[in-house]
Amino acid sequence: MPIEILMPALSPTMEEGTLAKWTVKVGDTVSSGDVIAEIETDKATMEVEAVEEGVVGKLLVEEGEEGVKVNAPIAILLEDGEDESAMEAAPAAAPAAAPDAAPAPASAPVAAPVVEAATGAAVASDPEVPAGTSMVEITVRDALRDAMAEEMRRDDTVFVMGEEVAEYQGAYKVTRELLQEFGDKRVVDTPITEHGFAGLGVGAAFGGLKPVVEFMTFNFAMQAIDHLINSAAKTLYMSGGQMGCPIVFRGPNGAASRVGAQHSQDYSSWYGHVPGLKVVAPYDAADAKGLLKAAIRDPNPVVFLEHELMYGTSFDIPDIEDWIVPIGKAKVRREGSDVTITAHSRMVGFALDAADQLAEQGISAEVIDLRTIRPLDTDTVIESVKKTNRIVCAEEGWGQHGVGAEIASRVVAEAFDYLDAPPARVFQKDVPLPYAANLEALSLPGTEDIVEAVKVVTYTG
Amino acid sequence: MAARKSTTSKSKATKAKLSVTKDQMLDWYRDMLLIRRFEEKAGQLYGMGHIAGFCHLYIGQEAVVVGVQGALEEGDQVITGYRDHGHMLAAGMEADGVMAELTGRIGGYSKGKGGSMHMFSREKQFFGGHGIVGAQVPIGAGLAFADKYKENGKISATYFGDGAANQGQVYETFNMAKLWDLPVLFIIENNQYAMGTSVQRASSETHLYKRGISFGIPGEEVDGMDVVAVYEAAKKAADQARSGKGPYILEMKTYRYRGHSMSDPAKYRTRDEVNSYRDHHDPIDMAREKILTAGWADEDTLKGFDKEAKTIAAASADFAQESPEPDPSELWTDVLVEG
């Protein structure tokens, strides 16, 4: 059966072109890959190659003809043993589909929900702490260490890798004594090679392991961010659900002290932007331990943002075996009736201090510890605002496109009628973090900034 | 552990006694034909507007994946960049599922959500299909890390191109792969052009098999148009990796006949250059000559193989157009693993 050669599209946007030149004539034998013509568009000239073997039976378009539509027949190819009579017998036996059979665009996009749909099922609550449970005082550092050790005992596919995690015992001693207990197969010192070991960790996760990848700080993860986003977060979707990536990227995030701009940045909103990731930023030791254990068990990639300045802080933690805190659930750290303050990580401490000060001035503040940045527990925030009618969103990072901007936007969209004042935000000054002690202090947000913002939204300033 | 240059020459090897069996050779011939006919069909569908976006064809490079796959065992992993259709077919993935992914339909390996550059099959141990140049290299080493950790005796075949060979993460990976003696084959498909930039214009050291020297990784240059040479080199390298001696670099000298992607007019090279490869170094023609010389099949049988490949490719094109688009509800699935 003769084969019609159609005018090809050089690009997805091409609709027509000029047949500049035929490089074959009737009677020529062509095989797949032979150039048969040159076509031109306003952007490029390209050669058209034959994709079938045969003898050129007829050229349907004159050399130099302009405006030849994509998918219009331009020549007829005779197969082995056919002669010209075959062309009359079976004219339009196009190889595949008619020109107008290009796939229709997907039906109109479904209305996109404002908040991510992937938050899905209801999130479990914090574990019950039975009456009479004793409390143990522990630093955030050791709580994180215990979380890893417990999960490594429970599941031998869990391993830790990163710079100085093994023999040095961790740059911030978060992996202290893990090497002694689990050996160098499961506590792996890497070279200083963030891009490489983040990608290697993703591959290990695809290969069936559960890596806990430590970045000495999240500032250095900038070298590896392609693997967190393009490789870890997106591959499940791009594979139609085949390629789960159970990996935890963890390490200190945010401003340390007097280390300058390159070592002081809060990445919450960066990672919080990306579907396919979970992003956790705990404040106290109980959450650090319970959320890290949950992160290691989670079948998804989790970015776990710790705070260097919190590592040495001690908190009471319930003495309960297998303490797990669910990802995706904010915690009301202090109840109040006049204003809602949201915060995460170290800022929670400032928010609680601010609430103390405000209480002395007769203002009752409710403090919500977000704990998880993605999925964001909007429900808890909205419920609170419906009660207090005012909100201050506090974060350590920059304001533009920040976590507080997102929360304020959701509150306006979902609880507009409940607001008695525009949402207020507290964030770092819009400059790289300076080194000089006075400038650094001016740049970073703290308790006073939160108190001031509360006074603005309560019109008590 | 200096790098060695193989003495593999091109078609002269034909006369020598073949180290492979008739069955292997005929299988490879059919596999290469399937890739060629599939890619031609994909190019055709692209030209008709059924495939959109980026579409990087593998025509000309077929001997590389087919020869390497011949040296792999069940359970070994394969990972590559965006010119990936050939790798998937060689790994045993169905032409229908690959073509339907190209047309963005529910019958595709990623339910239409990945496209040409992003397809996977856990069942066939094919780990993509990666669109960021070089990103598959540490991921491939990570698969090998998992193999070593699990002590399962498997290896990872990690492919990348001459363009990716200049990415920093490749060298970060070489370092860790040798430091920890990971069971990984680094297969550099040197088709001589990174998009429009020739190796000579992009690389200070154009012998890419030497790129592992400073890490202590042995490397070898291979005639990537000769499926037997590819198989022999890959078998040796795979045996070494599997035995715990660590990574191996194979630089496959190959050539792509088509542009970088469908919309590339390929003005950076001459038609004569393309034709000289097609006419004198075509991997399928070379295999055909070997088969006929050895008397393993006659012309008619080989013609039958071609017909068979064309039939599969044509059927995959039909399937890819008949398979429905993904249901709109698929927009929201597979973002996270639930539960």
Side-chain angles (χ1 to χ4, degrees), chain B residues 89-105:
Chain B
L89 295 173
M93 290 165 69
E94 298 290 335
D96 283 4
V98 179
M99 196 69 91
E101 190 61 35
L102 299 184
T103 54
R105 305 303 178 92

Side-chain angles (χ1 to χ4, degrees), chain A residues 9 32-35 45 47 49 71 97 103-104 113 156 185 193 196 200 206-207 227 237-240 242 300, chain B residues 40 47-48 105 109-111 118 120 122 135 138 142 149-150 169 172 258 263 265 271 278 325 331-334 337:
Chain A
S32 171
D34 286 347
V35 174
T45 305
E47 291 163 335
E49 294 178 2
N71 281 343
D156 62 15
K185 178 182 170 185
T193 185
L200 195 144
F206 289 157
H227 281 297
Y237 195 82
M238 295 194 303
S239 65
Q242 292 183 72
N300 298 288
Chain B
E40 287 168 354
M48 297 168 77
R105 305 303 178 92
Y109 269 100
S110 298
K111 300 194 251 176
H118 311 113
F120 307 82
R122 278 221 177 256
Y149 190 99
K150 292 190 279 193
Q169 61 182 317
E172 298 189 22
R258 298 296 184 94
S263 50
R271 192 72 208 176
R278 280 185 51 204
E325 290 188 313
L331 180 63
W332 297 105
T333 62
D334 308 320
V337 179

Side-chain angles (χ1 to χ4, degrees), chain A residues 171-415:
Chain A
Y172 296 98
K173 298 289 175 281
V174 178
T175 54
R176 185 171 53 85
E177 290 171 11
L178 293 182
L179 174 67
Q180 286 80 343
E181 180 174 352
F182 300 101
D184 61 6
K185 178 182 170 185
R186 299 183 64 195
V187 186
V188 182
D189 273 330
T190 65
I192 301 172
T193 185
E194 284 84 5
H195 197 182
F197 72 68
L200 195 144
V202 169
F206 289 157
L209 303 183
K210 297 196 181 77
V212 177
V213 174
E214 176 175 308
F215 292 115
M216 193 180 287
T217 88
F218 262 92
N219 302 286
F220 311 151
M222 291 281 272
Q223 304 232 37
I225 199 166
D226 176 59
H227 281 297
L228 276 70
I229 293 169
N230 276 317
S231 305
K234 294 182 185 172
T235 304
L236 181 74
Y237 195 82
M238 295 194 303
S239 65
Q242 292 183 72
M243 301 287 294
C245 187
I247 189 168
V248 177
F249 298 102
R250 54 153 289 273
N253 167 68
S257 182
R258 308 294 310 284
V259 290
Q262 289 183 336
H263 284 66
S264 312
Q265 188 172 334
D266 176 9
Y267 290 92
S268 305
S269 67
W270 287 56
Y271 294 110
H273 188 61
V274 183
L277 288 180
K278 291 186 178 182
V279 183
V280 178
Y283 164 63
D284 71 4
D287 283 351
K289 181 175 181 183
L291 284 165
L292 184 53
K293 282 167 67 76
I296 293 169
R297 289 187 200 184
D298 200 286
N300 298 288
V302 180
V303 172
F304 197 91
L305 303 169
E306 300 158 8
H307 204 297
E308 183 193 330
L309 299 179
M310 296 297 295
Y311 280 147
T313 308
S314 293
F315 293 91
D316 284 343
I317 173 170
D319 189 12
I320 289 176
E321 202 180 310
D322 215 13
W323 172 254
I324 299 233
V325 174
I327 293 173
K329 187 88 183 122
K331 180 173 188 171
V332 178
R333 291 231 168 236
R334 175 186 177 122
E335 293 200 7
S337 54
D338 297 333
V339 62
T340 300
I341 304 171
T342 62
H344 62 275
S345 191
R346 184 166 178 247
M347 284 302 283
V348 173
F350 297 136
L352 291 169
D353 291 345
D356 284 343
Q357 288 185 27
L358 290 162
E360 288 165 18
Q361 299 166 40
I363 297 170
S364 166
E366 179 147 301
V367 177
I368 296 179
D369 178 355
L370 298 172
R371 304 200 292 190
T372 301
I373 305 302
R374 174 180 273 271
L376 195 56
D377 181 3
T378 313
D379 291 350
T380 297
V381 178
I382 298 291
E383 278 315 300
S384 175
V385 169
K386 284 181 176 174
K387 179 175 69 175
T388 64
N389 312 113
R390 294 173 168 84
I391 184 165
V392 170
C393 312
E395 69 192 298
E396 191 183 282
W398 293 304
Q400 185 163 344
H401 310 116
V403 176
E406 178 67 27
I407 293 172
S409 156
R410 292 190 189 190
V411 166
V412 167
E414 296 179 42

Side-chain angles (χ1 to χ4, degrees), chain A residues 127-174:
Chain A
E128 286 281 322
V129 181
T133 303
S134 60
M135 301 298 275
V136 191
E137 191 179 286
I138 187 172
T139 60
V140 169
R141 171 183 290 115
D142 287 347
L144 292 166
R145 193 209 84 90
D146 289 353
M148 286 187 278
E150 287 179 21
E151 293 307 300
M152 290 174 82
R153 281 176 211 129
R154 178 179 172 270
D155 180 350
D156 62 15
T157 64
V158 178
F159 73 99
V160 176
M161 70 187 302
E163 294 156 8
E164 309 289 9
V165 297
E167 298 206 359
Y168 193 89
Q169 303 285 293
Y172 296 98
K173 298 289 175 281
V174 178

